[in-house]
Amino acid sequence: MTTHKNLLGGPEPTHLPVNEEAYRLLDEESLAPAEVAAKFPTFSLAWALLADDAFGRGAVVESYAYARTGYHRGLDALRRAGWKGHGPIPWEHQANRGFLRCLAALARAAGEIDEKDEHERCLQFLKDSSTEAYAELIG
């Protein structure tokens, strides 16, 4: 990975730590996201997968709850990683994707339950955090 000097003087990108065991359980062991979330409640990707599944079944409020849980767990992890409330959260870094997916899922579910302010706030937060994630997840 190439690191470029930040010429704008803003915060450096935040990279969350990788939870190898949680990824292994999802990928190699094929554990259900709910089982992985129970073993690793701070692993936002499991919450994002749960949110996506619930949304796909039409369970929008359930999707909102899963997404909000992963979002808050992700915020806690970002702060522990040195994030100060703003700055890049690169999509390219695998461990950031769970948080970014939860943020997109929260925006989607908020839009469906007509929570306009939350929907717009989450979309803007996603775009400000990672234009690549925004393009990938929102389009």
Side-chain angles (χ1 to χ4, degrees):
M1 177 190 312
T2 303
T3 304
H4 301 283
K5 184 177 179 186
N6 184 344
L7 299 176
L8 299 176
E12 292 296 318
T14 302
H15 298 96
L16 292 172
V18 177
N19 184 331
E20 297 288 347
E21 180 64 9
Y23 284 111
R24 188 187 71 71
L25 292 174
L26 280 175
D27 297 335
E28 295 173 23
E29 301 291 328
S30 300
L31 250 61
E35 294 174 271
V36 176
K39 289 181 180 295
F40 298 100
T42 62
F43 186 61
S44 290
L45 180 59
W47 296 107
L49 294 169
L50 289 165
D52 289 346
D53 178 64
F55 193 84
R57 291 184 283 106
V60 177
V61 172
E62 185 179 331
S63 177
Y64 182 90
Y66 286 135
R68 182 159 288 288
T69 300
Y71 165 78
H72 280 288
R73 286 311 188 83
L75 285 177
D76 292 342
L78 285 165
R79 288 182 188 111
R80 281 192 303 276
W83 185 74
K84 303 290 186 215
H86 66 285
I89 304 168
W91 173 252
E92 296 78 23
H93 182 66
Q94 178 189 28
N96 290 351
R97 290 186 176 194
F99 170 76
L100 294 166
R101 286 182 59 177
C102 282
L103 186 53
L106 185 56
R108 178 185 61 207
E112 286 294 312
I113 62 172
D114 207 28
E115 192 176 355
K116 290 179 176 67
D117 290 343
E118 178 83 344
H119 173 75
E120 291 301 320
R121 183 188 66 76
C122 289
L123 287 177
Q124 189 61 54
F125 186 8
L126 182 62
K127 188 181 284 186
D128 292 345
S129 298
S130 171
T131 55
E132 293 82 5
Y134 186 89
E136 179 76 22
L137 300 169
I138 305 300

